[in-house]
Amino acid sequence: MTRLGVVTRSLGAALLLVCVGGLGSPAVGAPAVGAPEPKAPREFVALDSVDRTILQEMRYTTAHNFVGEPIDGYRQPVCVLTRPAAEALHRAQTRLLARGYTLKVYDCYRPQRAVDHFVRWAEDLADERMKAEFYPAVAKDRLFADGYIAEKSGHSRGSTVDLTVVRLPAARTRAYVPGEALASCTGPREERFPDSSVDMGTGYDCFDTLSHTEDPRITGVQRANRQLLKGLLEAEGFVNLPEEWWHFTFKPEPFPSTYFDFPVARRSVAGH
């Protein structure tokens, strides 16, 4: 065999090893380079394909959240949910509209990569750019221990939604300007960041015990507003997380133990 033939044969063997994973093989389950993003199962839909009247203020596509920047995996400001959860919200909305109010969602399905972003942020104790608004009374090194941040979220299963109630006609919430002065989420409504929501006693995503749905310090109109939201959604099969007045999960969940990671985008549910 010629020298060229030996070289060619050796190169071919090396290429074969790479193809079958003998050299530099990727981790099991790792997507191929240039592979398309995963799509949602057919059980998922865009909320506005089921109900166009529910307002959407998808906070994690913006910098107005406790991290202070758009969150990984949120490609478009669209609420994505399992169809049963979306249809249950539609039923609740129909009843609420008759009373002169509307629902407004802040977050719906949340990809695992977004949860991972939250975890990385929580581990960086030096980054407290949004503390004055979202966790003014909680030390950042307590966020895991106190349950405000976790490595898994029910949102990633697709049937959990963060939402509030807005009186009609709905006022438009002004855009947050990164770097602007922050106001505590636990302060009086007139001092908090402006929101079209009725007064729930705290702002959305407020890391504080005052956000507990039944906190006894919440009285009067604020308590009535929380009970309106809770009663309305419970009647349609949602269960409230007691630590967060805004957090509800539809039961039974179509995917009770699956944490998805497709991006929040219309193409994820295209054709569903």
Side-chain angles (χ1 to χ4, degrees):
M1 182 180 294
T2 65
R3 179 177 177 82
L4 177 60
V6 172
V7 172
T8 302
R9 183 174 179 179
S10 298
L11 179 58
L15 289 173
L16 176 62
L17 283 172
V18 171
C19 290
V20 299
L23 291 175
S25 58
V28 175
V33 175
E37 289 276 17
K39 290 192 66 175
R42 294 197 63 82
E43 291 86 349
F44 282 79
V45 295
L47 175 61
D48 59 13
S49 71
V50 176
D51 192 309
R52 292 185 176 276
T53 67
I54 296 175
L55 303 180
Q56 299 189 29
E57 187 182 317
M58 303 297 289
R59 286 287 188 87
Y60 297 141
T61 64
T62 76
H64 190 214
N65 58 66
F66 55 86
V67 176
E69 62 191 21
I71 304 303
D72 291 353
Y74 285 84
R75 304 288 173 76
Q76 292 177 302
V78 55
C79 172
V80 173
L81 287 170
T82 58
R83 182 174 290 278
E87 291 177 345
L89 282 186
H90 169 64
R91 294 192 298 270
Q93 174 74 344
T94 299
R95 295 168 52 214
L96 193 58
L97 288 173
R99 301 178 62 169
Y101 296 90
T102 179
L103 293 172
K104 179 174 77 170
V105 296
Y106 294 113
D107 191 37
C108 302
Y109 157 75
R110 179 184 304 165
Q112 180 61 45
R113 69 191 76 180
V115 179
D116 296 342
H117 191 168
F118 292 163
V119 170
R120 292 194 305 273
W121 165 82
E123 291 173 341
D124 180 3
L125 300 183
D127 183 355
E128 294 189 325
R129 72 188 104 163
M130 303 300 285
K131 177 177 174 59
E133 178 173 354
F134 292 96
Y135 53 110
V138 179
K140 193 174 182 184
D141 62 6
R142 294 289 308 172
L143 294 182
F144 287 107
D146 291 350
Y148 294 112
I149 299 293
E151 294 183 351
K152 294 290 184 181
S153 168
H155 282 275
S156 301
R157 302 194 297 262
S159 296
T160 295
V161 59
D162 293 344
L163 73 174
T164 189
V165 172
V166 174
R167 185 185 296 276
L168 293 172
R172 190 176 182 87
T173 299
R174 75 165 176 84
Y176 164 76
V177 179
E180 71 174 87
L182 301 176
S184 172
C185 59
T186 62
R189 183 185 184 188
E190 61 272 15
E191 296 178 8
R192 301 195 299 262
F193 186 88
D195 191 324
S196 59
S197 171
V198 298
D199 189 2
M200 293 290 190
T202 75
Y204 167 60
D205 255 358
C206 188
F207 296 176
D208 194 279
T209 55
L210 202 63
S211 293
H212 292 189
T213 307
E214 302 291 345
D215 189 286
R217 293 169 292 177
I218 299 298
T219 60
V221 172
Q222 296 173 339
R223 186 173 189 84
N225 288 336
R226 291 189 183 189
Q227 292 305 311
L228 170 63
L229 178 62
K230 184 171 183 283
L232 181 79
L233 294 181
E234 285 182 341
E236 300 300 339
F238 287 91
V239 176
N240 175 240
L241 179 67
E243 291 77 21
E244 298 177 351
W245 60 257
W246 56 82
H247 180 119
F248 291 83
T249 300
F250 180 75
K251 302 288 186 175
E253 295 183 64
F255 301 99
S257 58
T258 305
Y259 297 84
F260 294 97
D261 194 39
F262 58 85
V264 176
R266 291 193 180 278
R267 67 179 183 179
S268 294
V269 293
H272 291 195

